[in-house]
Amino acid sequence: MPGDLGGLEVTILNRQGQPLADCTTRLRLIRPTHKGVDQDLTVTNAGNGHYTAVVDVPLPGLWDVRMVASNADGDYQTVQRIEVRE
């Protein structure tokens, strides 16, 4: 439900499908239809390629999750659209 704290987890794998455990990771939650509600999330390395963030989503609907991860092998970027329901 919007306004409740929830969690977001991403798993980062290399091209061979192996977890990337030593990334500096940034997550941004973007509302494509509303200004002023985008959020930069604090990311915690949960180990073995898993990264988590606590999320307080103020509105239901479609959101884009933009991830940028960097490690010694390079930079990785992706955007995933998610739906938040009441």
Side-chain angles (χ1 to χ4, degrees):
M1 171 176 240
D4 289 345
L5 293 179
L8 181 66
E9 180 177 332
V10 296
T11 301
I12 304 173
L13 306 173
N14 65 16
R15 291 179 191 224
Q16 294 75 37
Q18 301 300 312
L20 292 176
D22 59 347
C23 291
T24 300
T25 306
R26 295 184 318 236
L27 291 172
R28 182 160 178 80
L29 195 61
I30 302 163
R31 180 63 186 249
T33 59
H34 288 80
K35 291 184 179 182
V37 293
D38 296 354
Q39 301 176 36
D40 290 313
L41 305 176
T42 300
V43 180
T44 301
N45 185 340
N48 202 31
H50 298 281
Y51 299 83
T52 61
V54 174
V55 181
D56 184 7
V57 182
L59 299 168
L62 297 176
W63 290 82
D64 292 333
V65 179
R66 178 171 294 148
M67 182 199 72
V68 177
S70 302
N71 74 358
D73 295 330
D75 296 332
Y76 304 85
Q77 298 182 42
T78 189
V79 176
Q80 179 74 42
R81 182 154 286 177
I82 62 172
E83 182 178 2
V84 175
R85 297 182 183 171
E86 286 191 46

